[in-house]
Every structure is written in C-alpha cells, then in structure tokens.
Amino acid sequence: MSGLAEVSARIERAARAAGRDPASVSLIAVSKVQPLARIEAVLDEGHRIFGENRVQEAQGRWPALRDRYGAIDLHLIGPLQTNKVKAAMDLFNTIQSVDRTRLAVKIATEAQARGACPDLYIQVNTGEEQQKAGIAPGEADAFIARCREEMDLPVTGVMAIPPADEPPESHFDLLAQIAERNGMSAVSMGMSADFEAAIAYGATSVRVGSALFGARDPSAITGG
Ligand SMILES: *Cc1c(COP(=O)(O)O)cnc(C)c1O
C-alpha cells in the first residue's frame, strides 16, 4: 500500500475546510527518483496523474507504463532545457516550468510544426530566489500576455515552488493572485509539507512526492 488513500483523504479534508469542492483539487503524484515498484503500487490503486522533474528519467519509464496501464496524465515540473523541448512535448500532457522567452519561442515553433501543444503553465519565482527557476512576479503578467498573444501558446496555469526557509502562505497568495488576474484556471502549488495550506489558498493541483511514495533515496538521483 502507498500513501495514496491517506493523502487523498487529507486533500479532501483541506478542500472542505476551505469551503471548496474536493473535486476541484487534483493530486499530481511526484514519482521522480522513486523505485518502479512504488509507482506501480500507486498505478495499481488507480491513480493516473503523475509528475516528473527530469525529461530523461521520465522517458526511461513512462512509455512502457503507458503501454501497460493506458492513458496517464504526465506533468513536467522541473526545469526544461531548449534542447529537450521536442522530447518533453512528445511525452508530457502539461509542461509546468515555462519560465523564459527563449523556451517559450522554442515551444511555439515546435507547436506550430506539429499542430499540437501540451498545456503550459508559467513558473513564477515568488521568492525571487537567485538560484531558482521561474519568472519574477513583477514580470509575470507581461510574459503571460506575450506567450498568449504573440506566440499563441496554450498558457492555462501557473506554478511555484516557495522558498524552503519561509512560511509558504504569502507565496501561495501571490501565485493565486497572478492566476486570478490573468484568467488562469490552473494553480499548481503545495508539496508534501504544505499542500493543505496551498489548498486553502486556491491550489487546483498539488504536487506530492514523499508523503505519497515514501522518502526519496538521494543516492538514486539520475541526470537528465
Ligand atoms: C520533488 C518535487 C515535488 C514533491 O516534493 P515532496 O516534498 O516530495 O512532496 C513537488 N514539486 C516539485 C517541483 C518537485 O521537484
């Protein structure tokens, strides 16, 4: 048994406590670096929405799992290099880490060539941390407008990873406001440690790894 039933129950409780429909919050099971057996356990329990943060690692296992389990909704939640755009667009239903013009242009060019594009979320660096990916909050509106109007990209949501050393609430609030004023339907925020707070602030998807699968083995981290 995985932690799926418990995490799902916690999501439902948090949604009800916030006066929200539990069906308005989806659980993205973050399977990066997890052993295959744990992923299969969650698939066997019927879950079909997963998140990975590296294209190469995801390529190594999800095509075979889709063959076995059928349609799986896959989200890319980690940084995307422009040379992996095609591979990411082949594999993922949603790319949550669009954070710079060069990447958006590359996705737009490829989307035009194939006549299709995954859903795109804009990653916002709500804490304006030097080392963290994401567009600065003050630049988000203009970037979103450019992606939509000049590049015709299907930008439908926003994503953020708040600073690890601060209470996340003000960051959740900021991200929800950016979503609201830009007419975004998807707000991806909240991880194992704080997904209930994220739901209180309007998260429509929470990205939960360790609370669901168990702790990640740091020595198992792969490149790519
Ligand atoms: C790893 C990861 C998560 C899940 O983290 P947990 O703390 O294990 O729930 C969520 N979002 C992103 C972007 C991640 O890289």
Side-chain angles (χ1 to χ4, degrees):
M1 275 294 279
S2 71
L4 181 64
E6 195 201 320
V7 169
S8 301
R10 285 172 59 189
I11 289 172
E12 183 168 338
R13 270 200 303 277
R16 289 198 196 288
R20 300 181 53 197
D21 179 358
S24 69
V25 183
S26 69
L27 168 61
I28 299 177
V30 177
S31 48
K32 65 181 185 198
V33 199
Q34 294 287 355
L36 187 60
R38 290 186 187 171
I39 298 172
E40 288 170 335
V42 170
L43 283 161
D44 287 336
E45 290 175 76
H47 196 72
R48 290 295 181 270
I49 311 173
F50 289 82
E52 289 279 354
N53 73 334
R54 289 184 167 85
V55 175
Q56 204 164 305
E57 184 185 3
Q59 268 179 320
R61 60 179 168 210
W62 286 103
L65 288 169
R66 279 179 167 148
D67 284 346
R68 286 169 54 201
Y69 288 92
I72 290 164
D73 185 10
L74 265 193
H75 292 244
L76 179 63
I77 60 172
L80 178 57
Q81 296 165 283
T82 48
N83 65 358
K84 297 220 169 93
V85 160
K86 286 188 186 190
M89 289 174 72
D90 286 342
L91 189 61
F92 291 96
N93 305 85
T94 302
I95 296 174
Q96 297 201 359
S97 48
V98 180
D99 65 349
R100 59 197 190 280
T101 301
R102 215 165 84 82
L103 175 61
V105 167
K106 178 88 186 183
I107 293 172
T109 305
E110 186 58 27
Q112 204 144 47
R114 35 179 99 184
C117 190
D119 281 340
L120 303 176
Y121 296 0
I122 304 303
Q123 183 172 351
V124 182
N125 186 358
T126 59
E128 306 199 51
E129 293 171 280
Q130 247 348 301
Q131 79 288 1
K132 198 165 276 176
I135 195 104
E139 291 165 20
D141 294 354
F143 182 63
I144 291 164
R146 210 171 334 123
C147 287
R148 285 172 161 170
E149 289 155 25
E150 292 170 27
M151 301 182 223
D152 201 23
L153 288 171
V155 174
T156 58
V158 284
M159 183 270 259
I161 310 167
D165 56 356
E166 282 179 35
E169 284 81 3
S170 64
H171 299 276
F172 293 156
D173 192 35
L174 176 59
L175 190 70
Q177 284 178 31
I178 292 170
E180 164 101 50
R181 66 173 180 253
N182 287 284
M184 302 278 199
S185 54
V187 185
S188 172
M189 58 189 188
M191 313 190 348
S192 290
D194 55 21
F195 66 86
E196 282 136 325
I199 290 168
Y201 280 86
T204 62
S205 52
V206 294
R207 310 179 306 267
V208 181
S210 42
L212 185 58
F213 292 104
R216 286 181 290 275
D217 174 2
S219 68
I221 292 172
T222 57

